Amino acid sequence: MSQGPRSRPRVADTDPTRDIAFDIVLGVVEHRRMLETSLEHSPAAKDADARDRAAAHRLAATVLRHMGTAGMVLEPFLKKEPPAPVRVVLLIGVAQLLLLDTPAHAAVGTAVSLARRRGLTPFAGLVNAVLRRVAQAGSGALEGLDQARLDVPPWLWSSWGELARPVAEALGQEAPLDLTLRPGAAGPPDGIILPTGSVRLPAGTRVADLPGYADGAFWVQDAAAALPARLLAVRPGERVADLCAAPGGKTAQLALAGADVTAVEREPGRMARLRENLDRLGLIERVVTVQGDAVAWRPDIPLDAVLLDAPCSATGTARRHPDVLWIKRPRDLAALTAGQDRLLAAARDMLRPGGRLVYAVCSLQPEEGPERVRAAIAMGLEPDPFTLEELAALPEARTPEGWLRTHPGLWAEQGGMDGFFAARFRRR
C-alpha cells in the first residue's frame, strides 16, 4: 500500500519572543546597532506584548553576553561559516540549550521554525542537525572552554590589562537593580543597603512596580554611577552645571544637595527623558534645563562646579548592555576622546578661578581615563585628588593617583558594579 507524500513539518505562524530576539542579535552583529535600538527597529516587536518583548530582550542579552562561548560550541559542528542570519539562529539555539535550560526538543524545534520564518528554509536541515548534536553533547560542550575570555573581544581583553579576568567573569552575570534614595526616603523593604548608600535589588526587578517609585522616593542608578556627583561635593547655594545630563540621576543628586543646578543635554529625546525623571522626582522646578551642545553653551556667570559625565565607549556598562562588547571598535576611541577633550575645555571655561570639575566616563578604556587626565592638565586644569576619607566606603576603587576606578569585578560576590573612571580638577 503506497503512502502519500510526507507532509512538511508545520512552521509556527508566530513566535514573537524568538523573532524579536533574532532581530536584536542580527541588528547588533551585522549592523552594529545597540540592543535597544535594534529592539525598536524589530518589526516583530511592534505589536508584541510587554511579556514577549521582555522575554526576547533576556534571550538576546544572553546570546550577546555569551556569544564567544556559543560560537566556540558551534565550531566543531560546522564545516564552513554560515551566513550571518543562519549563525544568529544557531546562537539563539545554543543559548537556549546550554544557558537557559530550554528543553532540547523545544530549543531545536523553535530554532528550525525561526529559520523557516526568516526565509532561511534551505538551512533548516543544517540548523536541525547542528543543534541536535549540541543537545546530545549537553553541558559537556562547555568543558575546557575559557568562557570569560571567549566572551570578550580580544582587543578589549588586551586593553583591560590586569582587570581583564575579573571584569570578564563579572560580565557573565545579569546586573542587579541599584537605586539611589532621596534623603530621608525609605527604600523598598527587600533591598540591600550597600556600603556606598545605594540600595540593591535582584536582577529582573521591575522598578515601576516598587512602592515609592511613583512618589519619587528613588531613582535607578548603578552604585558606581552614583559616586561622581557625590565626589563633586557641592554645597547648598553653589552654582553648578551638569553637562550631558540625561537621564538625570546625577542632576537629581546635585539638586537634592542644595545646589543651583543647570542641566545641559544635546539630544531632544534624552532631554525629554531627563525632564520626565525630574518631574517624577518633584525637582523639575528646581533645575534649569538647557537643550543644547555643552561644547558651545556658557553660563551667564562663572560656575562654582561642573560635573561632566562625558559620552564615551560605555564599555563599563557591559553587564547591563552586552551589545557594547560587539558594536564598539578600537577606531571609535579617537572620535570619542576628541569629543571628551572639547567638553573638558568647555567645562574649564565655565568655571570661576578655583572652581571644581569632576570628569567621569562609564568606560574601562585607558584612553578615556588616565590619558584624558593628562589632556586636562595640559589645558590648565589642576588635579584635585579624591581623598581616602571620600572613598572610605570603597577604598579599592581609589587609584594611587587619587582617581576613581570602578569595574564589574568589584563586589563580585554582591553582584558587581559598572565600570567608571572619574577625576577631579580645579581651575587655576
Side-chain angles (χ1 to χ4, degrees):
M1 185 173 177
S2 63
Q3 295 182 350
R6 290 185 181 181
S7 61
R8 297 183 65 181
R10 182 178 179 273
V11 178
D13 295 327
T14 60
D15 184 350
T17 294
R18 290 165 185 85
D19 283 332
I20 297 169
F22 174 89
D23 289 339
I24 292 172
V25 177
L26 188 65
V28 171
V29 300
E30 192 167 58
H31 304 295
R32 292 183 63 203
R33 289 196 195 112
M34 296 182 67
L35 188 155
E36 300 298 339
T37 306
S38 295
L39 174 60
E40 294 310 313
H41 276 78
S42 168
K46 296 192 184 307
D47 298 320
D49 61 31
R51 179 179 297 181
D52 286 330
R53 285 169 66 99
H57 190 290
R58 179 170 180 255
L59 175 55
T62 300
V63 173
L64 296 169
R65 193 171 279 121
H66 302 280
M67 192 153 66
T69 294
M72 188 60 68
V73 167
L74 288 170
E75 193 170 279
F77 307 124
L78 292 170
K79 293 180 180 179
K80 62 179 181 178
E81 182 69 16
V86 178
R87 185 172 182 83
V88 168
V89 173
L90 290 169
L91 291 170
I92 289 172
V94 172
Q96 293 184 110
L97 285 168
L98 302 183
L99 302 169
L100 295 173
D101 297 324
T102 305
H105 69 278
V108 176
T110 55
V112 171
S113 296
L114 174 61
R116 290 189 172 123
R117 283 197 307 278
R118 290 313 179 108
L120 304 173
T121 299
F123 296 92
L126 172 71
V127 169
N128 181 67
V130 169
L131 292 181
R132 282 185 179 277
R133 294 183 68 182
V134 173
Q136 289 170 359
S139 60
L142 299 173
E143 289 181 6
L145 298 184
D146 186 348
Q147 295 186 49
R149 182 144 196 180
L150 287 169
D151 291 335
V152 173
W155 78 272
L156 282 174
W157 182 281
S158 299
S159 72
W160 295 343
E162 62 184 15
L163 294 181
R165 176 70 58 182
V167 167
E169 289 176 351
L171 296 183
Q173 305 301 317
E174 191 175 356
L177 176 73
D178 289 353
L179 307 175
T180 298
L181 304 183
R182 290 181 72 104
D190 297 333
I192 297 171
I193 300 177
L194 300 173
T196 55
S198 294
V199 175
R200 176 160 290 181
L201 292 122
T205 301
R206 285 177 49 85
V207 66
D209 295 341
L210 296 174
Y213 174 80
D215 300 326
F218 51 78
W219 59 92
V220 175
Q221 190 174 36
D222 186 84
L227 297 175
R230 295 177 193 167
L231 293 169
L232 190 58
V234 299
R235 294 178 288 275
E238 283 194 314
R239 291 173 48 83
V240 179
D242 182 11
L243 307 183
C244 313
K250 297 177 180 68
T251 303
Q253 288 178 281
L254 298 172
L256 289 168
D260 179 6
V261 184
T262 299
V264 183
E265 175 57 51
R266 184 177 64 181
E267 301 297 332
R270 289 175 60 80
M271 175 55 80
R273 185 180 175 196
L274 168 70
R275 289 174 174 152
E276 179 183 321
N277 287 332
L278 291 176
D279 187 42
R280 180 179 64 82
L281 296 170
L283 297 173
I284 192 67
E285 301 297 331
R286 294 171 56 178
V287 174
V288 175
T289 57
V290 175
Q291 185 183 320
D293 189 344
V295 171
W297 177 81
R298 293 294 183 273
D300 296 334
I301 303 171
L303 301 173
D304 298 298
V306 171
L307 177 60
L308 169 58
D309 186 356
C312 67
S313 63
T315 51
T317 68
R319 290 181 315 148
R320 304 179 189 280
H321 306 289
D323 47 304
V324 166
L325 300 173
W326 308 106
I327 64 175
K328 301 298 181 183
R329 299 288 187 273
R331 62 178 176 269
D332 298 334
L333 291 171
L336 288 166
T337 55
Q340 290 159 22
D341 285 349
R342 289 191 293 270
L343 286 164
L344 279 165
R348 173 202 61 198
D349 294 345
M350 298 174 194
L351 289 169
R352 63 170 175 78
R356 308 183 307 285
L357 164 65
V358 165
Y359 159 82
V361 282
C362 55
S363 169
L364 295 167
Q365 306 315 116
E367 296 91 339
E368 298 177 300
E371 292 185 23
R372 300 282 61 74
V373 172
R374 289 188 278 274
I377 293 171
M379 296 175 192
L381 288 163
E382 182 177 348
D384 182 15
F386 304 125
T387 67
L388 291 170
E389 290 74 20
E390 288 176 299
L391 290 174
L394 192 59
E396 58 269 47
R398 185 179 184 272
T399 73
E401 300 86 356
W403 307 325
L404 175 77
R405 161 53 73 209
T406 66
H407 62 83
L410 291 178
W411 290 351
E413 69 285 352
Q414 296 170 275
M417 64 180 64
D418 283 353
F420 259 84
F421 177 90
R424 187 170 57 200
F425 307 91
R426 287 187 181 270
R427 181 171 183 178
R428 293 194 181 104

